[in-house]
Amino acid sequence: MALLDWRSPEHYDPTGDKPCVICTKPTPLRSDRGRPVHKVCAEQWIDAHPKEEDQK
């Protein structure tokens, strides 16, 4: 299972919760691209969508 390290403050948005792009429940967390997403949802998505080796 993918384990993301989201300890840096960039992954927390103090301006408020927004719907997670995966489960739609509110979250103050943000992905590396700034999208609202729970860490657990992101990890499960990564596991379900492995990068193909020929797409380097």
Side-chain angles (χ1 to χ4, degrees), residues 14-47:
T15 63
D17 290 354
K18 292 186 179 173
C20 174
V21 296
I22 297 174
C23 76
T24 70
K25 293 180 182 172
T27 181
L29 299 176
R30 303 295 182 261
S31 71
D32 289 340
R33 295 181 180 177
R35 295 183 178 136
V37 64
H38 297 104
K39 180 179 177 285
V40 173
C41 291
E43 291 168 342
Q44 289 174 350
W45 188 91
I46 289 168
D47 285 342

Side-chain angles (χ1 to χ4, degrees), residues 2-17:
L3 293 176
L4 300 171
D5 181 0
W6 281 13
R7 287 180 278 186
S8 69
E10 294 87 38
H11 291 288
Y12 177 77
D13 186 350
T15 63
D17 290 354

